[in-house]
Amino acid sequence: MGLFDKLLKGAVDAIDNAAAKNGNGPTGLKDLFNQAMDKKDEAINGSSSTTASSKPSTATTSSSSKRSNCAYTRPKYTTPQEVLDTASIPAKPSRKIEFEVFDGENAEIRVKITFDLSGDFIETECEFDYGAMYLPNCDDDFDDNYSDSNTPYFEMVSAPDDEIYYMIDKYRNGGTPDNAMMFLRVDDMGSRIQFKAKVKNRFGKIEYFYNCQFHDEFNPQSYIGVCYNADVVGTPLEKKLMAAVDEAARTFRREVVKIEDRPFR
């Protein structure tokens, strides 16, 4: 594999890892990359690469069209049995989580967000406000870059761009979401939380969440929830994960820390 190919492979791996951290799972880019390398080897020496040939090809072509169509099948996520079995382990004591967001028309309002989260979740690096992976058998001394698309993931997101965004937006405009696996209005958690729901996202994963308005001036579609594989639905593990989100939502607090004059230039 030449230098350019290695750089390209590194970029593909980085994109897949970022998607996995976001709870979105593999993007399918690795399969496409391997297929491209396979075609390159065939063109050069008439044989396919061992890396590409070890995986079933997911490319499809149509004999009735002059243009080739390339497609791939998204993987089916399967939760390991050892993860499912952790449902019988009592949850670790909860701890208070704290982070800050900026609010206001010019982001001049500094706001502290706090909530309690089960000790079964360990904070990881993420691209949204807060993320923690369900690792009840681990302690805090672990690689925070670790990611696994088959492990449940707790998340707080200011600006979702998928099904959850549209569900919250529809509710805020007086409608009732019609694509939810579960939808219940909430009347006892303050003005910032109006409902909780369960939905299957576009990757086939399940999101159990509360709409939870972090900001006053923007991003009203924020939420707090947990993402897990579809095979967890109806299991004791799902109840344990949902209980952790219930506690986080119940203890959610928002406090203005400081107001600054920060006009955008």
Side-chain angles (χ1 to χ4, degrees):
M1 184 180 290
L3 177 60
F4 176 78
D5 293 340
K6 290 181 180 179
L7 292 174
L8 182 58
K9 183 178 185 300
V12 169
D13 290 342
I15 292 172
D16 262 15
N17 289 338
K21 282 184 183 180
N22 218 1
N24 292 331
T27 64
L29 288 177
K30 288 184 179 179
D31 284 345
L32 295 178
F33 174 81
N34 288 331
Q35 291 167 27
M37 291 299 99
D38 190 42
K39 293 297 183 182
K40 176 184 174 183
D41 288 341
E42 287 182 10
I44 294 174
N45 53 33
S47 62
S48 59
S49 66
T50 55
T51 300
S53 61
S54 65
K55 296 183 179 181
S57 174
T58 53
T60 60
T61 58
S62 173
S63 59
S64 61
S65 173
K66 294 182 179 180
R67 181 179 62 184
S68 296
N69 296 316
C70 185
Y72 59 88
T73 303
R74 292 195 182 279
K76 292 184 178 179
Y77 299 101
T78 303
T79 305
Q81 186 60 47
E82 56 266 29
V83 176
L84 294 172
D85 291 342
T86 60
S88 61
I89 302 174
K92 294 180 181 179
S94 299
R95 63 190 186 282
K96 184 172 291 295
I97 304 299
E98 178 179 314
F99 64 90
E100 291 187 354
V101 298
F102 287 96
D103 203 352
E105 183 178 353
N106 294 318
E108 76 276 19
I109 304 174
R110 201 166 87 230
V111 178
K112 181 172 69 174
I113 301 296
T114 61
F115 60 93
D116 293 341
L117 179 63
S118 165
D120 286 346
F121 291 87
I122 297 180
E123 182 175 351
T124 59
E125 291 188 358
C126 62
E127 297 180 351
F128 34 87
D129 296 89
Y130 180 85
M133 192 162 286
Y134 176 74
L135 297 169
N137 294 321
C138 296
D139 54 30
D140 289 327
D141 185 19
F142 90 117
D143 182 6
D144 61 2
N145 285 312
Y146 171 80
S147 64
D148 180 359
S149 58
N150 287 313
T151 299
Y153 199 79
F154 177 91
E155 52 195 12
M156 298 190 76
V157 183
S158 285
D161 59 357
D162 52 16
E163 291 84 354
I164 293 178
Y165 177 95
Y166 296 109
M167 287 181 65
I168 297 175
D169 190 59
K170 185 172 183 178
Y171 180 83
R172 286 174 55 82
N173 285 288
T176 299
D178 53 9
N179 60 337
M181 299 169 64
M182 180 198 79
F183 177 86
L184 291 172
R185 288 181 172 83
V186 175
D187 300 318
D188 58 352
M189 290 189 178
S191 61
R192 297 185 179 275
I193 297 178
Q194 293 89 36
F195 71 85
K196 62 179 179 178
K198 187 193 300 183
V199 65
K200 178 178 288 189
N201 66 25
R202 63 183 182 275
F203 299 100
K205 286 179 168 287
I206 308 302
E207 303 257 11
Y208 171 71
F209 70 97
Y210 287 77
N211 75 310
C212 188
Q213 189 174 348
F214 306 161
H215 306 86
D216 284 336
E217 297 294 334
F218 55 96
N219 296 340
Q221 289 84 0
S222 53
Y223 71 94
I224 176 173
V226 65
C227 179
Y228 49 90
N229 294 341
D231 59 7
V232 174
V233 174
T235 68
L237 177 58
E238 183 182 38
K239 293 181 179 179
K240 188 178 185 183
L241 298 173
M242 293 172 70
V245 176
D246 292 343
E247 178 188 32
R250 186 174 60 252
T251 57
F252 169 83
R253 298 292 184 272
R254 179 185 186 277
E255 176 188 350
V256 174
V257 176
K258 189 175 183 181
I259 299 178
E260 304 170 341
D261 182 16
R262 298 180 54 192
F264 288 146
R265 291 179 172 85

